[in-house]
Amino acid sequence: MSERHEFKTEARQLLDLMIHSVYSNRDIFLRELISNSSDAIDKRRFESLKHPDLMPAGLEPAIRIEADAAARTLSVADDGIGMSREEVGDLIGTIAKSGTQEFLKRVRASKDAAAPAELIGQFGVGFYASFMVADRVTLLTRRAGEDTATRWESSGDGFYTLDEAERDTAGTTVTLHLKPADQEDGMKDYADEGVVRHIVRQYSDFVAYPIQMEVEEKEEVDGAETTVRRAETLNSMKAIWLRDKAEVAEEEYNEFYRHVSHDWTDPMLRVQARIEGTLEYRMLLYVPSKASWDLFMRHPETHRGVRLYVKRIFIMDDCDELLPEYLRFIRGVVDSEDLPLNISREILQQNRQVQRMSRGIVGKVLDAIKDLAAKDADKYKALWAEFGRVLKEGLIGDTDHRDDLLSLLRVVTTASAGESVSLNDYIGRMKPGQEQIYFLCGESRARLERSPHLEAFRDKGYEVLLLDDPVDEVWTSAVHEYQGKKLQSAAKGLVDLPADDETQKEAESARKEQEKAHASLLGKLGGHLSGLVKEVRFSTRLTESPACLVTDAGDVSPQLEKMFRAMGQELPETKRILELNPGHPLLDALQRVYDADPESAALADYAKLLHGQALLAEGGQLADPAEFARLVAEVMVKAAG
Ligand code: ADP
Ligand code: MG
């Protein structure tokens, strides 16, 4: 039964790109095909742990390449899991992947003509890379455990066909009908054995299955030269993490990173260790140079984390149990000597050994990152810029490594002129006698810098951390101290900054006097606002603004409350505290109204206005903006006469 299908719009766009773009490096199509074959064999091995008949006894799965110079074809065949007809349609025929849209967007946004080739691996559009070198591609596949095979074929012209077919064994063969070689266009002769051998060695040497190619060799038999064909294994299959560090070139490590991460760029940092003792395992992990586009969206299909091996045998991709979520950007391999080979995801989740391994791995990764921070500040800055937001998530849940993570933290402060500094830098600059690390959370740095909550801090020369990530709001509510210094929000509780010199002391006693003079007014305003706020009190934070809102010491901040609500959590509404600046002329003016008539109805409106403008000054939202606008208009009418 032959069916002709039309590619979905996206797939068509993608194919167009593959066919018409200029590539800096077409060679990678082969890496993509081999990586698919290797993944497919991995899958078959994994499924056969549960269903042993999927892997016939004695089968040693391999990847076979055939280059036919006369027919100008190149094929890659494997003993992998194969695909059912339906799977071919789903996986190859349509591009339903969320990554693809993003890929196309990035390609269009990029001015760089070489961008598509670089983005291919990263977005998992690997199979389509075939169309960079072929004008027709055939895929013949038979799913392990099924009898019939499927043939998929396309010329990249917007259509593909599906036919029922035959294949002797389970697995997949992809055959490329190659475009003519064209040196100028970077289109090599991919039907040439030498070219193929070179590419395989370069990109796929550590693939764990033999990549074989039948090669022609001249041999002398009884004095006469004859050609014989012989299967040559092109790759060394050496597990790179077992090899002596001194023996492995940097480029090989980088190539291996590309293989496991499907990321085309070189990694930023390598974490390599061998753990011996009651638990034995090795790790070869990497920090990428760039955050993947989906770091903050969880797309299982493009998410590639750490691969788990047991005694050199691949067990699974993306082994979430080995690393906490906040290290989800780490890529690479962990190879255990102790875990059972037939370990499943369910068992992994409860396995004590895995939990201990995970702690060990996290320790090594954080040590390596700390080491980088100590040795190469610029490189660390780049790492923090890419992954800092994710690392901060660790401050919330991973209490074991909290101090490590706090030492890695980089933040902008009121005194750092836009540069990120460490908490240790901050502590080193603390004023004599300062006991607390002050911080302020908010939506943007610009807004934070102008916040009334900082007035007294600025006035008295205290440095304050300016935290503008949504996650800052969360971790600062979970972390209470670092290096024996308490973390204190500038917008929470009472602030008591000691006066250091005579002028400040004088200002303080003047303020005490002003507080006394306005005590009765304060009580009145408090009465008017009793439904809106917990308390109205005099502030020690303000030097310029008339009023600000603060959160009571033990309460949840409004931003955090909003986040909890957004996540569907029920919370009682927290009321805040309105603080007034006793030295502000506005209070003198209101005092005159009060003195003339303590029961004046105008005072109720002024109280609401004070509260509303304090809310607006910190970027908050008014509960009733229309009423606020009406009150402002009335006041303006009076003032303008
Ligand atoms: P990715 O490998 O990133 O998933 P590809 O475009 O390379 O993206 O492949 C798409 C999908 O097609 C694979 O995820 C896999 O399910 C299927 N596939 C491709 N090649 C093979 C193969 N040789 N054997 C079995 N399945 C394959
Ligand atoms: Mg692939």
Side-chain angles (χ1 to χ4, degrees), residues 285-391:
L285 303 174
Y286 300 84
V287 177
S289 304
K290 287 263 166 253
S292 64
W293 64 276
D294 60 347
L295 190 58
F296 289 96
M297 316 173 211
R298 313 302 307 282
H299 281 299
E301 44 184 345
T302 46
H303 179 213
R304 297 179 201 273
V306 172
R307 294 184 173 204
L308 174 65
Y309 283 71
V310 172
K311 297 192 189 74
R312 259 71 64 212
I313 307 265
F314 172 84
I315 304 295
M316 69 182 74
D317 228 337
D318 219 358
C319 185
D320 293 337
E321 287 72 21
L322 291 178
L323 283 173
E325 277 212 34
Y326 73 87
L327 292 177
R328 61 182 175 272
F329 56 89
I330 299 289
R331 301 288 179 264
V333 165
V334 171
D335 187 356
S336 155
E337 295 293 328
D338 314 290
L339 293 175
L341 271 172
N342 60 351
I343 195 157
S344 67
R345 268 190 206 271
E346 294 70 43
I347 296 175
L348 267 178
Q349 281 163 5
Q350 290 138 24
N351 188 296
R352 282 279 187 85
Q353 288 181 332
V354 173
Q355 287 161 7
R356 276 180 46 209
M357 266 168 74
S358 170
R359 270 198 298 278
I361 297 167
V362 173
K364 288 285 178 207
V365 169
L366 292 182
D367 282 351
I369 297 180
K370 272 163 60 183
D371 206 45
L372 178 73
K375 288 196 184 127
D376 189 340
D378 283 344
K379 207 164 169 193
Y380 180 64
K381 210 164 153 188
L383 188 151
W384 182 259
E386 291 297 320
F387 304 109
R389 269 174 75 199
V390 193
L391 285 170

Side-chain angles (χ1 to χ4, degrees), residues 256-295:
F256 180 70
Y257 164 75
R258 285 173 209 142
H259 175 69
V260 292
S261 67
H262 294 220
D263 172 12
W264 187 243
T265 47
D266 285 345
M268 168 129 50
L269 183 66
R270 190 169 77 236
V271 186
Q272 211 172 346
R274 176 177 185 177
I275 291 27
E276 284 166 315
T278 41
L279 274 183
E280 244 182 79
Y281 56 97
R282 294 173 198 246
M283 66 186 94
L284 174 54
L285 303 174
Y286 300 84
V287 177
S289 304
K290 287 263 166 253
S292 64
W293 64 276
D294 60 347
L295 190 58

Side-chain angles (χ1 to χ4, degrees), residues 207-222:
V207 166
Y209 308 106
I211 303 170
Q212 296 165 338
M213 180 165 66
E214 263 203 12
V215 289
E216 270 186 7
E217 263 177 18
K218 301 225 183 307
E219 221 171 69
E220 247 175 70
V221 182
D222 300 333

Side-chain angles (χ1 to χ4, degrees), residues 40 74 205 381 507 524 547 571 591:
L74 178 72
D205 192 54
K381 210 164 153 188
K524 191 79 208 166
L571 279 187
Q591 188 68 46

